[in-house]
Amino acid sequence: MRALVVIDPQNDFCPGGALAVAGGDEIMPKINAMMESFDLVVLTQDWHPNGHSSFASSHDGAEPFTTFDMNYGSQVLWPDHCIQGSIGAAFHPDLNTDLANAVIRKGMNPEVDSYSAFLENDRTTPTGLDGFLKERGCANLTLVGLATDYCVAWSAIDARNHGYHVNLLLSACRAINLNGSLDISLKEMKDAGVHIAEQ
Ligand code: VGL
Ligand code: ZN
């Protein structure tokens, strides 16, 4: 069984959004075209409450794109984004959601961010995605979405740690690339055994 896992294809990560990723909207037609060739399609949605601890605005005097020591380790502080129920948190209108078997929402705990679709940034709290995929007999994942160097990379590495065969299709991903994070994440994914394809 093969699953397509589409990471955070949301308005706030597309041009005009609160945490816009260059070209984020360009990947939607390609992802739509891929869906029918998979046994399962899973979409993830970054889904933060107002005042989430990953927002710079929640920490006095802190600027977005700096780091902050949380009790679970270092965390990048972001502009407010993907607030539950907002237009920014909605799936991009060009994405066809009809074939989605499941939607996993993450980052809902006010105190803990969740880049990965499998485990929150405390690295222990599961989202339930592993249970869903294993119960459906799925061992082979293809990951696409936003952003390559944060939520896609953390999901791909966690998927390897949970025993999946993992493919990443770069042409259906776009990166934030903060302080060289794209190259770092590509190396970490390769080291973890993620199969990275350009096209
Ligand atoms: C993401 C930063 C903050 C992502 C989510 O989807 O890559 N990045 N929240
Ligand atoms: Zn987020």
Side-chain angles (χ1 to χ4, degrees):
M1 288 278 277
R2 294 169 63 242
L4 179 67
V5 181
V6 186
I7 304 294
D8 301 359
Q10 295 165 263
N11 289 323
D12 268 344
F13 300 121
C14 291
L19 180 39
V21 179
D25 55 331
E26 296 166 5
I27 66 176
M28 307 303 165
K30 174 140 203 161
I31 294 171
N32 292 341
M34 293 172 73
M35 287 182 183
E36 283 203 46
S37 24
F38 286 83
D39 303 300
L40 286 174
V41 175
V42 176
L43 310 178
T44 71
Q45 213 168 11
D46 210 38
W47 198 251
H48 300 307
N50 261 310
H52 191 260
S53 57
S54 74
F55 298 166
S57 64
S58 303
H59 304 272
D60 277 343
E63 292 292 330
F65 308 108
T66 61
T67 54
F68 189 86
D69 282 325
M70 303 286 194
N71 56 19
Y72 53 81
S74 178
Q75 164 77 48
V76 178
L77 297 180
W78 303 105
D80 291 22
H81 65 278
C82 295
I83 306 269
Q84 297 169 1
S86 69
I87 300 284
F91 290 121
H92 189 277
D94 291 349
L95 184 78
N96 177 5
T97 61
D98 294 352
L99 293 178
N101 295 84
V103 175
I104 295 283
R105 287 176 168 169
K106 61 187 181 61
M108 296 179 71
N109 181 339
E111 306 302 330
V112 183
D113 204 3
S114 188
Y115 294 150
S116 163
F118 290 92
L119 291 178
E120 295 186 354
N121 287 13
D122 62 8
R123 312 315 293 139
T124 50
T125 310
T127 63
L129 178 57
D130 185 50
F132 176 78
L133 292 171
K134 293 221 165 91
E135 195 171 14
R136 296 294 299 263
C138 186
N140 190 311
L141 310 183
T142 294
L143 269 67
V144 295
L146 305 170
T148 319
D149 41 350
Y150 285 92
C151 291
V152 176
W154 285 52
S155 299
I157 292 166
D158 278 354
R160 290 291 300 140
N161 291 334
H162 285 79
Y164 298 90
H165 184 97
V166 183
N167 305 293
L168 184 92
L169 186 62
L170 280 177
S171 61
C173 299
R174 292 291 185 274
I176 296 173
N177 206 6
L178 181 64
N179 304 322
S181 55
L182 178 58
D183 283 347
I184 294 167
S185 70
L186 289 172
K187 182 177 186 314
E188 286 173 350
M189 287 192 278
K190 281 177 195 149
D191 290 348
V194 175
H195 295 268
I196 301 180
E198 297 283 338
Q199 291 293 329

